[in-house]
Amino acid sequence: MSDYYNAFETSPVPAPGPDAVPPEPFRGIYGMPAFVTIPTSDLAGSVDFWVRGLGFFELFGVPGTLVHLRRWAFQDVLLVTAADVPEQAPAMSFSFSGVLSQVDSLVEACRALRPDSVDGPRDTPWNTRDVTVITPENARIVFTAAKPFAPDSQEARDLAAIGISPPDDRRGDNERHA
């Protein structure tokens, strides 16, 4: 018996597939369960890259101090002014989800703004297609999109080997586990 269960209904991320449609940007106000804070010495330039390159929008801002960016629900970033930023990106990264149909346009948009900012896309052993972007603040951002699950694939075998079985199509399985 596994302690894992299907709780996909708690996430805005759609089921993977070639026809997966991303949700609309989420403009509601909620208690953020997690967020990332990124210092920037050029707040306006950083906002421009995150909006035009990575697809976030400005939820609100405090002029000259911070901008709260969001994409989907639970994809929150606070850009805060700082005197300087690291000279190179750290090994640590922040990842956010998208859908496969967004990968190419995100790569193109980021490369148009900062030609050397993108690494990838590349497929992972855990069944995603990932793009790594180094932002103007030297933050390492990973855009990740789930690929359709193929039960006979190497990725499926890799996941099964660590005890993760594919989600089924049932929604609401979380209720019997809560």
Side-chain angles (χ1 to χ4, degrees):
M1 176 147 156
S2 171
D3 290 339
Y4 301 110
Y5 52 89
N6 181 343
F8 276 74
E9 73 275 4
T10 63
S11 173
V13 181
D19 57 349
V21 176
E24 291 295 317
F26 189 82
R27 297 181 186 281
I29 301 297
Y30 52 76
M32 297 182 302
F35 60 93
V36 63
T37 301
I38 299 178
T40 178
S41 56
D42 178 6
L43 190 57
S46 293
V47 169
D48 183 60
F49 184 84
W50 282 80
V51 169
R52 293 191 315 140
L54 295 171
F56 282 73
F57 68 91
E58 185 174 334
L59 185 64
F60 67 84
V62 177
T65 303
L66 77 84
V67 172
H68 182 156
L69 300 172
R70 181 174 295 150
R71 209 166 155 270
W72 300 349
F74 312 121
Q75 292 183 342
D76 293 278
V77 173
L78 299 181
L79 295 175
V80 297
T81 57
D84 56 12
V85 297
E87 291 186 28
Q88 66 183 40
M92 184 183 78
S93 63
F94 168 68
S95 299
F96 65 93
S97 294
V99 297
L100 284 173
S101 65
Q102 297 176 305
V103 171
D104 292 340
S105 61
L106 180 130
V107 167
E108 290 172 16
C110 288
R111 284 191 176 139
L113 294 166
R114 293 175 51 97
D116 297 327
S117 65
V118 178
D119 179 29
R122 69 183 176 288
D123 291 341
T124 68
W126 45 90
N127 207 40
T128 64
R129 183 158 298 141
D130 290 3
V131 175
T132 301
V133 178
I134 305 301
T135 69
E137 317 80 34
N138 283 323
R140 184 178 309 276
I141 305 302
V142 178
F143 176 85
T144 185
K147 298 184 322 187
F149 185 78
D152 59 343
S153 68
Q154 183 60 49
E155 290 90 348
R157 290 187 288 280
D158 292 344
L159 293 171
I162 61 172
I164 298 175
S165 57
D168 56 28
D169 289 333
R170 293 179 295 140
R171 295 288 180 167
D173 193 32
N174 191 35
E175 292 173 9
R176 67 184 176 98
H177 295 280

